[in-house]
Structures are given as structure tokens and as C-alpha cells.
Amino acid sequence: MDKADRYARRFEKVLDHIASHLDQPLDVERLSQLAHFSRFHFHRQFSAYLGVGVARYILMQRLRRASYWLAFQPRRKITSIALDCGFDNPESFSRAFRQALGCSPSEFRRRPDWPGWHARMTPPVRERMDSMEVNIITVAPAMVAALEHQGPPERVNDSALRFIEWRKASGLSPVASSQTYGIAYDNPETVEPERFRFDICGSVAGPVPANPQGVIVKQIPGGRCAVARHHGSHHNLRDTIGYLYREWLPASGEALRDFPVYFHYLNLASDTPEHLLLTDVHLPLR
């Protein structure tokens, strides 16, 4: 491991600690000790590495978690969300939320502005420093209920809310006993936003009747796949996808099958802290 890798690992330890303690006070001196950095230099080192100051980073992570809970857990009280995300009281939470997103928590809950949210809340991009474990497996075909999203990637969460609505209304693909997938037909970095296509899917055992949400039946074909497990935010899935295409595939000698990369979500952002999210990225092979 070279010096750059060791330096990155020290910061990863800090970021992991922040992610798992957002509901608690986070002392900068304690964070600097975790990484064995001098407290006199930690602020500058953090800003240089992440592109944002430590206090701002912590605030953004708290607001990101709160945003997901507001949108995807409508029965959860705003007061409870504020306290569970590390704010001293609902007033300070509301003030910080409005300053960051231009609306109150209750307004965001009623009508989430995901494009605006992405513009303000997407975390800094950091290069993946380590190689990844990639396994080749053979998967069985999967019949799924699919909601076809077409439009800006930032609007996928709006489609996700419609799919959740269908799941609850139909009872045909319950979260507790079915699998959840995403099929990425297009690369959001290269396709025009209005042409971006992405299916949100849940496994089903039989037909899907016509429904107001527009959910239909599709099949994820079986076959060989290269699978890499992604840990953390779905916004950073491009890191894992990039590694598969850029590093693993050329060195593997494998050839790709005519089906897009897809995701198997092992847990969901609606009820899981971002740092605990697990997603298996599938690259279909011949």
C-alpha cells in the first residue's frame, strides 16, 4: 500500500465514523484523533481532501438522511427526524433545512424537489483508491414488476415514490419478501437528460394487472454476470460501475451480453442510513 492509499484510508475512517454517528455530537478534535491528524491542520486537510469543510460536510450528511426520511417515511414525525439526525431541536433543523434547500421540511415532504436536492446535496466525488472484489455467478431469470422512468436522472426518486405507492396498493411485490432491482439502460453522464431510461423493479410471482402507476411485467434474463458489491450511497454507484468497465472488464477477457448493467438493492434508502446501503452491481456476460 503506497502513501496515497494510507492517507485515503485515514480519511475513510473519519467518514465512516461520521456516517455512523450522525445522531450524536461530532467533535472535530475526536475526528482528527481517529485519523491521527494534528487538530491544528485537520480542518485544512479535510477541506483539501473532500472539497468542503468538516462542519459543512457533517451538516450536509445530516440533511441528506433527513431528506430521505421525510420523503420515504411519511408517518415519521418531523420532530423525531430532527433529533435522530443530530439536530438540537426542530427549530434548528427547520432553519438549516430551509437555508440548504430553500424550503421547510414539511414542504419538502409534501412535494420533494429532487432536481434541486441533487444540485445542492450531491456529495463530493472521490476517486476509489482500492481494487474491488468481482465474482462471476450464474443468475436465474427473474420476473419483475417494472416502472419505466424516462427523463432526468434527478427525477428517479419521484418514480421510486410511485413504485412504492404501487407496491403498497397492490401487495404484489412486498418489500419484506421480494427483491428490488434497478435496470440502467443509459449512462446519465453521456445521454441527454430527457432520454435517460431507468426501470425500478420488484420481483413478482405472476401477472400485474393494469394500474394507475403504470407498472408492467418484465423479465431480467438469467445467465452469467460479473457482480461487484457497492457499499454506501447510490449516488456513488458510478464508482463501482466505472471500475467494472474501466479496470475489471479489459483484464478479465470476458465479453458482455446484450443486456444493460443492473442493480440488486439488498436494502433500501427509504429505511437504511446511506453508509449501510448495500447494492450488488451486475454486469451481464456471455
Side-chain angles (χ1 to χ4, degrees):
M1 184 186 301
D2 62 23
K3 293 180 180 179
D5 289 334
R6 289 195 293 271
Y7 191 82
R9 284 185 181 275
R10 291 162 75 181
F11 269 108
E12 292 295 339
K13 190 173 183 180
V14 172
L15 299 183
D16 287 345
H17 181 83
I18 291 172
S20 58
H21 294 82
L22 288 175
D23 60 336
Q24 303 172 24
L26 287 164
D27 180 74
V28 172
E29 185 162 348
R30 168 62 177 151
L31 295 177
S32 65
Q33 291 171 353
L34 281 171
H36 303 289
F37 288 133
S38 166
R39 60 189 175 91
F40 298 109
H41 302 287
F42 181 69
H43 279 288
R44 289 188 176 89
Q45 287 175 287
F46 192 98
S47 297
Y49 186 75
L50 269 295
V52 64
V54 61
R56 181 69 176 172
Y57 178 86
I58 292 170
L59 175 61
M60 290 297 102
Q61 295 308 301
R62 285 175 167 153
L63 291 176
R64 283 174 62 84
R65 178 175 293 182
S67 301
Y68 281 118
W69 285 347
L70 287 167
F72 292 107
Q73 297 187 20
R75 295 184 179 179
R76 193 166 188 161
K77 294 181 178 180
I78 292 178
T79 297
S80 174
I81 291 174
L83 298 178
D84 291 343
C85 289
F87 292 91
D88 293 334
N89 51 64
E91 291 74 23
S92 63
F93 169 56
S94 182
R95 184 166 56 252
F97 197 95
R98 184 178 289 279
Q99 288 175 348
L101 289 165
C103 64
S104 69
S106 58
E107 289 169 338
F108 184 86
R109 167 168 275 176
R110 286 194 299 270
R111 183 173 294 182
D113 173 19
W114 291 114
W117 185 93
H118 277 272
R120 296 175 173 89
M121 303 297 290
T122 299
V125 176
R126 292 180 289 116
E127 292 295 325
R128 181 179 294 276
M129 302 303 296
D130 300 323
S131 62
M132 300 183 64
E133 180 180 351
V134 180
N135 297 304
I136 297 178
I137 65 172
T138 299
V139 301
M143 181 184 295
V144 295
L147 191 150
E148 299 175 316
H149 170 90
Q150 180 165 342
E154 297 82 5
R155 292 285 188 187
V156 167
N157 276 336
D158 290 332
S159 296
L161 286 169
R162 288 214 328 271
F163 188 73
I164 291 171
E165 180 183 286
W166 171 82
R167 265 185 154 165
K168 291 179 178 178
S170 70
L172 295 178
S173 182
V175 172
S177 57
S178 61
Q179 306 301 312
T180 303
Y181 302 94
I183 304 175
Y185 294 95
D186 300 298
N187 182 349
E189 297 178 7
T190 58
V191 72
E192 296 176 2
E194 62 272 15
R195 298 180 62 185
F196 175 75
R197 296 168 300 151
F198 188 91
D199 285 353
I200 302 165
C201 309
S203 60
V204 289
V208 174
N211 55 86
Q213 294 83 14
V215 174
I216 61 175
V217 169
K218 289 191 175 184
Q219 187 176 71
I220 298 176
R224 296 172 70 246
C225 289
V227 181
R229 180 155 295 179
H230 176 86
H231 297 257
S233 172
H234 294 161
H235 295 285
N236 295 330
L237 277 167
R238 60 184 175 183
D239 294 342
T240 300
I241 297 169
Y243 177 83
L244 284 170
Y245 281 104
R246 183 182 62 250
E247 305 289 343
W248 181 84
L249 185 61
S252 71
E254 295 284 348
L256 297 179
R257 189 156 31 100
D258 191 22
F259 191 78
V261 63
Y262 67 94
F263 313 125
H264 180 195
Y265 301 108
L266 304 180
N267 48 23
L268 301 177
S270 57
D271 55 13
T272 306
E274 279 192 301
H275 73 290
L276 297 179
L277 289 172
L278 296 174
T279 308
D280 280 349
V281 181
H282 287 64
L283 194 62
L285 305 173
R286 290 181 185 173

